[in-house]
Amino acid sequence: MANVEDPAIEEAYNDVRDDNTESNWMACGYVGKTNDLEMIGTGSGGIDEMKSLFDATQVVYGYLRVIAGDEESKRPKFVFITWVGENCGVMRRARVSVHKADVKKVIKQFAIERMGTEESEFEYEDIMKEVRKVGGADYQGNW
């Protein structure tokens, strides 16, 4: 099991969800070789800013806020992100699916989930296409 008890993780999650803050992403990662997770970043620069934390030797769990909809209705949607660096250890990689379930006990509400090992799998436009598909009404026909 992953230890997701760092209160900063839940605080950052709530901050990203809050309509009254500028924060639109947060990320947590492991403390050394332990199964303890800690906050490693938060900000208002979207997925491109979050990707600066993606390291080929690390696993990062992130939460991203995007604005979706059309001219009739703009609404926030949330994305759960799992980055698994291509050079992270075999045991760390093997535990991701189990640990991800623990992380989801804190990061509970999201429209889509993305997991990848290359930064190109986290392009803003690709994420938005997927968000639009699951987002309900689309009067612009953007699907």
Side-chain angles (χ1 to χ4, degrees):
M1 289 182 57
N3 176 357
V4 203
E5 294 178 5
D6 178 356
I9 296 172
E10 189 167 6
E11 288 171 18
Y13 165 76
N14 289 328
D15 197 41
V16 171
R17 291 196 55 78
D18 188 340
D19 291 336
N20 298 313
T21 68
E22 291 187 19
S23 295
N24 62 11
W25 69 269
M26 56 78 66
C28 57
Y30 293 98
V31 177
K33 295 187 186 243
T34 72
N35 291 332
D36 298 339
L37 290 166
E38 67 179 350
M39 279 300 303
I40 59 171
T42 187
S44 58
I47 188 65
D48 291 330
E49 187 176 38
M50 184 193 297
K51 286 193 302 189
S52 71
L53 299 175
F54 294 175
D55 180 296
T57 64
Q58 301 296 318
V59 172
V60 174
Y61 301 99
Y63 192 61
L64 175 69
R65 174 192 186 104
V66 295
I67 302 299
D70 51 40
E71 293 170 4
E72 300 293 322
S73 172
K74 300 274 187 210
R75 56 206 171 274
K77 296 291 180 184
F78 301 91
V79 181
F80 180 75
I81 303 233
T82 306
W83 162 263
V84 182
E86 61 187 37
N87 298 326
C88 81
V90 171
M91 292 308 295
R92 178 68 74 206
R93 182 183 300 267
R95 291 184 182 123
V96 166
S97 63
V98 174
H99 289 185
K100 187 166 34 168
D102 295 326
V103 175
K104 287 179 180 178
K105 291 176 184 173
V106 176
I107 299 176
K108 300 173 188 167
Q109 299 176 342
F110 49 90
I112 65 168
E113 180 176 344
R114 302 275 298 208
M115 181 173 175
T117 60
E118 297 183 21
E119 285 190 31
S120 62
E121 296 174 89
F122 298 97
E123 293 299 322
Y124 176 78
E125 285 306 318
D126 295 336
I127 290 171
M128 291 306 297
K129 281 181 190 174
E130 194 173 347
V131 166
R132 281 192 286 275
K133 283 183 182 179
V134 301
D138 181 8
Y139 300 108
Q140 301 294 313
N142 290 322
W143 294 347

